[in-house]
Amino acid sequence: ILGLLIAAVIVFPTFSPGNLVAGLGITSVAIGFAFKDVLQNLFAGLLLLWRKPFRIGDQIRTQTYEGTVEEINVRSTFIKTYDGQRVIIPNGDIYTHPITVNTAFDRRRIRCLVGVGYGDDLERAKAIVMRTVGETEGVLGHPGPWVHVVELAPSSVNLEVFFWTSPQQAHVLAVRERVLTRIKLALDEAGIEMPYPYRQLVLPDTVP
């Protein structure tokens, strides 16, 4: 390198090694800005492959996307959404934003809201809901379901129902639908009202 600089000064008397150094510095900055996103995604991809916060087959949610991880490479992560679309997310975005890994553990807690009437026996309603949820297929026995009063709403006393099930999204949706259907049928059979908001309109007498 020193020989090339000396030769350049001899051949081109106006050439200054300082100009070369300055030019290299400016070029390095320009290249750095141009490849900033590429390098960020590369380093993030290497960290994801090394630390493995999630794996292929996991169901994750990041920003506005949710689905099953299909592929992880050094540049991006491929996700298949639940409605059958492929989303390619740069690894830099994934590494710098919160990620929810729905299948990180072998069980997942689900929350439902059930309203009963103010005139009904609250403890009886809670017992029916608790028993119904515990007997529903797909609901885990340990930890068991939990029912408690969460709100005195204008038209109903709202019960919050918690239960645990397997973490896969399709299983969660199926068990949740099964639980809510069985709760509705059990409360109907017990004669317990599940009220809904309604309004009464009073019109003033018309003057002839």
Side-chain angles (χ1 to χ4, degrees):
I1 295 175
L2 179 60
L4 290 175
L5 292 176
I6 295 174
V9 172
I10 295 174
V11 176
F12 304 102
T14 59
F15 175 79
S16 172
N19 294 337
L20 177 61
V21 174
L24 290 175
I26 295 173
T27 303
S28 300
V29 173
I31 293 175
F33 277 110
F35 288 91
K36 178 177 69 69
D37 292 339
V38 175
L39 294 176
Q40 181 184 23
N41 292 328
L42 173 63
F43 290 137
L46 294 175
L47 288 173
L48 290 175
L49 292 171
W50 174 46
R51 300 186 63 182
K52 296 181 180 180
F54 54 84
R55 294 173 171 81
I56 294 176
D58 274 334
Q59 294 179 341
I60 68 172
R61 181 174 68 249
T62 173
Q63 301 186 73
T64 58
Y65 303 108
E66 185 172 0
T68 303
V69 178
E70 288 188 316
E71 180 184 344
I72 308 170
N73 57 44
V74 295
R75 181 187 176 277
S76 55
T77 297
F78 292 71
I79 294 178
K80 182 179 180 181
T81 63
Y82 298 135
D83 53 1
Q85 295 178 318
R86 172 175 289 174
V87 180
I88 303 174
I89 307 176
N91 287 330
D93 291 345
I94 290 183
Y95 201 80
T96 55
H97 290 86
I99 304 173
T100 300
V101 184
N102 292 328
T103 52
F105 304 103
D106 60 352
R107 58 193 178 192
R108 182 173 166 188
R109 193 179 74 171
I110 309 301
R111 171 185 177 273
C112 301
L113 197 65
V114 177
V116 299
Y118 273 92
D120 292 307
D121 187 333
L122 187 56
E123 293 302 322
R124 179 168 173 258
K126 290 169 61 177
I128 291 174
V129 172
M130 178 80 77
R131 183 179 67 251
T132 302
V133 175
E135 295 173 352
T136 301
E137 179 185 357
V139 175
L140 299 180
H142 182 75
W146 178 40
V147 181
H148 71 112
V149 178
V150 69
E151 182 184 15
L152 300 177
S155 302
S156 62
V157 178
N158 290 335
L159 305 178
E160 197 168 35
V161 183
F162 292 102
F163 62 91
W164 294 81
T165 187
S166 298
Q168 291 77 17
Q169 182 71 7
H171 188 83
V172 167
L173 294 178
V175 175
R176 179 185 174 89
E177 189 272 341
R178 197 178 300 138
V179 164
L180 291 176
T181 300
R182 286 175 57 87
I183 288 176
K184 173 67 167 60
L185 296 176
L187 292 179
D188 286 346
E189 184 179 353
I192 295 177
E193 180 188 9
M194 298 185 68
Y196 54 89
Y198 65 91
R199 296 183 180 183
Q200 181 179 7
L201 299 180
V202 179
L203 300 178
D205 295 334
T206 58
V207 180

